[in-house]
Amino acid sequence: NYYNEAIDLTTKNGLIIIDNVLWYGEVANTNNNEKLTNCIRDFNNYVKNDKKTEQVIIPLGDGLTVCRKL
């Protein structure tokens, strides 16, 4: 819900930066099916498929997603 609220509050070409999207690399570990890890995977897929923004994941620390509102 916070992501959608942030989109609504952001002007065109504004940036939204989301921290911890790689979750210590656990989101890439297909053997990890913990609830929180799956929630982060689901969130990442939701953002990836959002047509209101363009996004890039920066593998810095636990990962940052930078979204630019279109």
Side-chain angles (χ1 to χ4, degrees), residues 38-52:
N38 284 329
C39 287
I40 294 170
R41 280 188 194 116
D42 291 344
F43 174 77
N44 287 343
N45 283 324
Y46 181 82
V47 171
K48 177 182 129 185
N49 293 314
D50 184 7
K51 302 299 182 203
K52 297 181 297 281

Side-chain angles (χ1 to χ4, degrees), residues 20 24 29 33 37 42 44-45 48-49 54 58-59 67:
N20 298 322
Y24 305 101
N29 179 357
N33 286 307
T37 303
D42 291 344
N44 287 343
N45 283 324
K48 177 182 129 185
N49 293 314
E54 61 182 8
I58 301 172
C67 303

Side-chain angles (χ1 to χ4, degrees), residues 12-70:
K12 183 178 179 183
N13 293 317
L15 298 178
I16 298 169
I17 301 172
I18 305 149
D19 195 14
N20 298 322
V21 296
L22 296 178
W23 195 242
Y24 305 101
E26 290 300 313
V27 295
N29 179 357
T30 57
N31 294 322
N32 184 334
N33 286 307
E34 294 177 6
K35 183 179 179 180
L36 188 53
T37 303
N38 284 329
C39 287
I40 294 170
R41 280 188 194 116
D42 291 344
F43 174 77
N44 287 343
N45 283 324
Y46 181 82
V47 171
K48 177 182 129 185
N49 293 314
D50 184 7
K51 302 299 182 203
K52 297 181 297 281
T53 64
E54 61 182 8
Q55 322 80 18
V56 64
I57 293 179
I58 301 172
L60 180 67
D62 286 338
L64 294 171
T65 295
V66 179
C67 303
R68 182 178 70 91
K69 185 173 179 179
L70 301 175

